[in-house]
Amino acid sequence: MITGDTKETAEAIGKEINIIKEEEIASGSFTGAELEEMSESEIQEIFRNCTNGKGGLIISRAEPRQKGIVVKHLSALVKQESIKLIIRTK
């Protein structure tokens, strides 16, 4: 889930709609600013875990350039690992 909401609000919504479990929050919930501070390999690992069913992923307080980082890494995974990507907007 990618949202402009605060981290706390995003986590509450994510738990309510079963995107992320309480025990996954420490390793699966990041702000856009936190994402930008990560190395390429750290980001790849986070997305790989998410797409391999090892937990949910929430990116909160995301700005357009940070959403670009997400799209870049998910697109690479779609090509490398034959996963399906569904994007839904309001």
Side-chain angles (χ1 to χ4, degrees):
M1 178 171 90
I2 306 168
T3 181
D5 288 330
T6 67
K7 191 171 187 176
E8 295 77 17
T9 299
E11 290 170 353
I13 293 168
K15 288 188 290 186
E16 186 176 321
I17 61 174
N18 296 317
I19 288 176
I20 198 165
K21 297 175 185 167
E22 181 68 39
E23 61 271 14
E24 297 168 347
I25 287 179
S27 63
S29 178
F30 308 95
T31 65
E34 291 169 335
L35 187 72
E36 279 188 306
E37 293 175 5
M38 293 179 189
S39 69
E40 290 289 313
S41 62
E42 288 174 312
I43 296 171
Q44 289 171 355
E45 185 65 23
I46 288 166
F47 282 95
R48 204 171 288 115
N49 286 341
C50 175
T51 58
N52 287 335
K54 295 180 182 173
L57 179 61
I58 296 174
I59 308 296
S60 55
R61 285 293 191 217
E63 297 178 10
R65 71 180 178 279
Q66 296 154 346
K67 292 175 184 178
I69 293 170
V70 172
V71 170
K72 172 186 161 186
H73 286 277
L74 284 177
S75 296
L77 281 173
V78 167
K79 291 176 187 175
Q80 293 171 6
E81 300 186 21
S82 301
I83 63 169
K84 292 182 181 178
L85 176 62
I86 300 170
I87 298 174
R88 187 179 81 171
T89 60
K90 220 178 198 185

